[in-house]
Amino acid sequence: MSVFDKIFKPKSTRRRCAAVIVAAGNSSRMGRDKILIDLGGIPVIARTLLAFEQTEAIDEILVVTKLDKLQEIADICSKYGISKASKVVCGGRTRAESALAGVSQVGEDIDIIAIHDAARPLVSSSLIERVILAAETNLAVAPAVKATDTVRILNAKGVVQQTPNREYVALIQTPQAFSADIIKGALTKAVEKQLHITDDCSAAELVGVKVCVIDGEPDNIKLTTSRDVYLAAKILSDKGVL
């Protein structure tokens, strides 16, 4: 490369992406803090963070956790070489409050924000890359896998009201990626109105944004019960990771 090329080579037009890892839940169904459970020799949260650290499209990582875990999570970032981690911040009382706490702290140069459940430690760099790529041309993106079981809609008394065609039922995963301005505004509105949302796409939908759904990965499971931890260990073992 000539001196001229070095001076006048155009800058990359790649949009910059931050990952917000939400790790502020109570783990009530697990009975212990699931993000700190040992999974193949390292904590669950470390596996999750390493997936994003090793993904080229990720420029910055922010972790949202509980107040009493701030230092412990910061120490884990240091121990496992999470060099892209810029901040560890305190979450809120709800999922929306915690996600908002994270997205509010990303750098001003960030164009896309990917939000991920810390309790999905088997997420692959490939899936992260695909979600971010889709977010280059869509305001909101979520990965999903098709339902394989028959789905029934029940009323409050447990009586079947509807049986939707499972061909059109998708089980939504994370990471979910958004235009930075869109998700900041959507989560702010959800928190201000004290709306109950279970994921960040719900906030985007509340402000009229259409969510693009792409293929997720069956192994990208969320750890909710002890059985899920056992299954995650088996998946890692089958892949030769353990």
Side-chain angles (χ1 to χ4, degrees):
M1 179 181 292
S2 68
V3 173
F4 182 89
D5 289 332
K6 290 180 180 179
I7 296 174
F8 294 100
K9 182 180 179 181
K11 294 182 179 179
S12 170
T13 58
R14 182 178 70 82
R15 301 177 71 190
R16 290 177 60 79
C17 180
V20 172
I21 310 301
V22 182
N26 293 319
S27 302
S28 56
R29 284 173 286 184
M30 185 71 73
R32 50 182 172 153
D33 195 337
K34 58 189 175 185
I35 67 168
L36 298 177
I37 290 174
D38 183 288
L39 183 58
I42 67 174
V44 164
I45 183 67
R47 284 199 178 277
T48 302
L49 291 171
L50 284 167
F52 286 84
E53 174 72 21
Q54 295 163 3
T55 300
E56 186 177 351
I58 298 296
D59 298 289
E60 179 183 16
I61 299 173
L62 293 96
V63 188
V64 185
T65 190
K66 293 182 288 187
L67 179 62
D68 62 350
K69 291 290 189 296
L70 288 173
Q71 187 58 55
E72 188 170 6
I73 298 302
D75 290 343
I76 287 174
C77 288
S78 177
K79 179 178 180 179
Y80 292 96
I82 312 301
S83 63
K84 295 178 183 178
S86 60
K87 295 178 183 177
V88 179
V89 301
C90 186
R93 297 170 300 167
T94 66
R95 179 67 168 70
E97 288 180 2
S98 293
L100 179 59
V103 303
S104 298
Q105 293 294 317
V106 303
E108 293 182 358
D109 61 337
I110 294 299
D111 304 297
I112 296 171
I113 299 176
I115 307 177
H116 185 66
D117 299 322
R120 290 185 186 269
L122 304 188
V123 64
S124 70
S125 287
S126 173
L127 178 58
I128 298 169
E129 293 273 6
R130 288 193 292 107
V131 170
I132 294 170
L133 180 61
E136 295 272 358
T137 53
N138 295 276
L139 296 178
V141 179
V145 294
K146 289 289 187 69
T148 56
D149 296 325
T150 297
V151 178
R152 294 258 195 311
I153 307 298
L154 312 179
N155 64 15
K157 296 181 179 180
V159 178
V160 173
Q161 298 297 292
Q162 184 181 358
T163 303
N165 184 338
R166 69 184 181 192
E167 286 296 313
Y168 303 107
V169 176
L171 307 179
I172 301 297
Q173 302 179 334
T174 67
Q176 298 172 2
F178 310 85
S179 163
D181 290 339
I182 289 292
I183 195 57
K184 288 177 182 178
L187 287 170
T188 297
K189 183 173 182 179
V191 170
E192 287 176 347
K193 292 182 174 293
Q194 298 184 337
L195 301 174
H196 175 70
I197 62 171
T198 56
D199 73 349
D200 306 292
C201 282
S202 299
E205 290 169 336
L206 289 170
V207 295
V209 173
K210 298 295 185 182
V211 177
C212 171
V213 176
I214 67 170
D215 287 339
E217 295 177 349
D219 289 347
N220 183 27
I221 62 174
K222 185 175 182 180
L223 307 187
T224 302
T225 67
S226 296
R227 182 180 182 279
D228 298 323
V229 178
Y230 171 82
L231 179 58
K234 182 66 168 63
I235 291 171
L236 289 174
S237 178
D238 289 347
K239 290 182 175 181
V241 176
L242 301 185

